[in-house]
Amino acid sequence: MLRILSGIKPSGTIHIGNYLGMIRPMVESQERGQLFCFIANLHSLTTLFDGRRMAQNSINALIDMMALGIDPKRSVFWLQSDVPEVAELTWYLSNVTPVGLLERCHAYKDAQAKGIPANHGLFSYPVLMAADILLYQSNVVPVGKDQKQHVEVTRDIAEKFNLAYGEVFTLPEPEIPEAIAVIPGTDGQKMSKSYGNTVEIFGEEKVVRKKIMGIVTDPTPVEAPKDPDKSVIYSIYKLFVDEGRAAAMAERFRAGGYGYGEAKKELFEAIWSYFEPFRRRRGELTANLDYVNEVRIAGADKAREVASATIKKVREVVGVI
Ligand code: ADP
Ligand code: TRP
């Protein structure tokens, strides 16, 4: 069966760019293969140095992903650090990874360009990510556009390892849903925590409404016809409603006499009601942390079965006895 793997860093709060770009495709992928999904807490350590927040973010991320539709009955769902084999594999992979390959990776290059001193963790971030993917012999990795490079690096590392030691690893394919590759934020740029233009999935109603009402628009007057495809409002709206409702909004844009304010209100309503069942589920899970913990432990056990088989093979070929 097709093995689909993806990880998400526990960032504290997730936004609709994360949801549309990666979480929803991941949830939907449970229909067509076996999903391996984990919370990438070890990756967060490259930039977060507050232990208490780290721990809390990890728990929140477990809850959020379960609330948003990761189904532990069908999928393998775990916390990255619960499978220590991933750190061991990172070391084996490090030794077939050229420094030049990592120097070309964007997170490190960005830090360099901004004059931010990079730690070794940030530099070798893609090797840990390669270990995540290769440890579980994944076939497909659904990611946002910004993570494509990391999956390509993973393939390079796997090829180098296989060339040196024989065919140990499956080569993964990145999968980027084109229609939703980059979700714009409230200022029209890519939605991202770093740009302060996000709309949080589980934000407070007042705050979410304010953010949506604050979406930057052009000064076209209410009466004038507008091109829906040039509007951030429409481009997000159509991802939350069925085709009929999307077509109706597009039509109103084109007809004129439809202001951005009104469109924003509709967008808010669509988003707020879309996440209603997820908010409810999240409330239930937050009140039942024992259950969340049971799922976490059972998931790690299942993940470890696959991980230890891979590690056994790797140790054998590299000669670690
Ligand atoms: P941020 O840019 O807010 O820091 P992350 O880098 O933590 O977000 O992204 C986590 C995941 O969500 C990644 O797989 C990324 O590709 C996806 N993602 C983030 N922002 C967007 C966006 N605006 N459009 C599509 N996908 C996104
Ligand atoms: N680096 C990814 C991100 O920032 C998270 C991640 C870690 C991941 N390991 C992975 C994604 C393995 C896919 C596969 O979003």
Side-chain angles (χ1 to χ4, degrees):
M1 184 153 62
L2 191 68
R3 182 163 297 159
I4 305 161
L5 175 135
S6 200
I8 182 157
K9 270 192 296 181
S11 62
T13 47
I14 39 179
H15 54 72
I16 61 175
N18 301 141
Y19 180 71
L20 297 169
M22 88 147 324
I23 300 170
R24 187 162 75 180
M26 199 148 94
V27 168
E28 286 170 355
S29 72
Q30 297 178 115
E31 304 297 330
R32 64 186 165 96
Q34 186 184 31
L35 177 66
F36 273 55
C37 166
F38 64 95
I39 304 302
N41 60 336
L42 297 175
H43 277 103
S44 289
L45 288 172
T46 59
T47 50
L48 179 58
F49 300 92
D50 175 340
R52 230 187 313 170
R53 245 181 77 201
M54 206 26 232
Q56 192 56 54
N57 285 357
S58 304
I59 294 169
N60 289 350
L62 288 164
I63 296 174
D64 288 347
M65 295 303 287
M66 284 167 70
L68 291 169
I70 295 297
D71 174 2
K73 289 202 186 70
R74 280 188 292 174
S75 303
V76 182
F77 177 56
W78 75 102
L79 185 65
Q80 186 184 29
S81 56
D82 284 338
V83 182
E85 284 84 351
V86 77
E88 186 179 342
L89 182 58
T90 300
W91 181 246
Y92 301 138
L93 297 178
S94 288
N95 295 295
V96 295
T97 305
V99 167
L101 187 64
L102 300 180
E103 278 170 343
R104 287 194 292 278
C105 285
H106 58 69
Y108 174 69
K109 260 177 47 185
D110 287 354
Q112 290 291 90
K114 289 186 191 135
I116 301 168
N119 56 41
H120 178 252
L122 186 76
F123 184 66
S124 63
Y125 183 109
V127 188
L128 176 57
M129 182 153 160
D132 286 327
I133 296 171
L134 301 176
L135 188 57
Y136 303 101
Q137 308 286 358
S138 320
N139 308 109
V140 180
V141 183
V143 282
K145 227 178 197 158
D146 57 337
Q147 294 297 317
K148 184 166 178 251
Q149 184 187 40
H150 289 155
V151 183
E152 285 161 359
V153 166
T154 300
R155 288 174 62 93
D156 282 355
I157 295 176
E159 277 173 345
K160 288 208 174 0
F161 190 96
N162 286 351
L163 196 66
Y165 294 110
E167 293 296 310
V168 174
F169 294 119
T170 307
L171 290 193
E173 298 286 342
E175 188 181 72
I176 300 156
E178 268 314 313
I180 45 180
V182 179
I183 309 300
T186 52
D187 60 357
Q189 295 187 79
K190 173 192 184 264
M191 185 177 290
S192 169
K193 281 189 300 296
S194 356
Y195 303 148
N197 61 359
T198 54
V199 176
E200 276 65 40
I201 299 174
F202 294 120
E204 271 183 53
E205 182 168 0
K206 255 193 356 215
V207 179
V208 172
R209 189 193 301 272
K210 197 164 161 211
K211 287 198 168 182
I212 289 172
M213 295 313 289
I215 290 175
V216 176
T217 49
D218 61 41
T220 318
V222 173
E223 320 76 70
K226 302 172 185 68
D227 181 352
D229 294 316
K230 290 204 177 112
S231 156
V232 171
I233 305 169
Y234 175 71
S235 64
I236 299 179
Y237 182 79
K238 68 176 183 205
L239 298 170
F240 282 108
V241 297
D242 60 32
E243 272 176 37
R245 282 177 71 192
M249 181 184 273
E251 191 42 47
R252 268 171 292 174
F253 261 90
R254 290 194 194 97
Y258 181 60
Y260 288 126
E262 210 178 317
K264 288 178 191 174
K265 275 192 199 137
E266 273 181 67
L267 175 61
F268 168 76
E269 293 303 333
I271 292 180
W272 194 253
S273 64
Y274 182 92
F275 287 113
E276 173 58 33
F278 302 127
R279 273 195 299 278
R280 209 173 329 114
R281 180 80 185 122
R282 185 167 175 264
E284 289 163 7
L285 291 165
T286 307
N288 192 355
L289 291 180
D290 286 347
Y291 172 68
V292 174
N293 219 22
E294 269 167 39
V295 166
R296 167 188 164 188
I297 292 167
D301 283 350
K302 278 197 249 169
R304 267 191 110 165
E305 265 176 47
V306 182
S308 46
T310 304
I311 275 291
K312 186 164 174 274
K313 226 191 281 175
V314 173
R315 283 187 194 147
E316 242 167 58
V317 299
V318 299
V320 166
I321 54 169

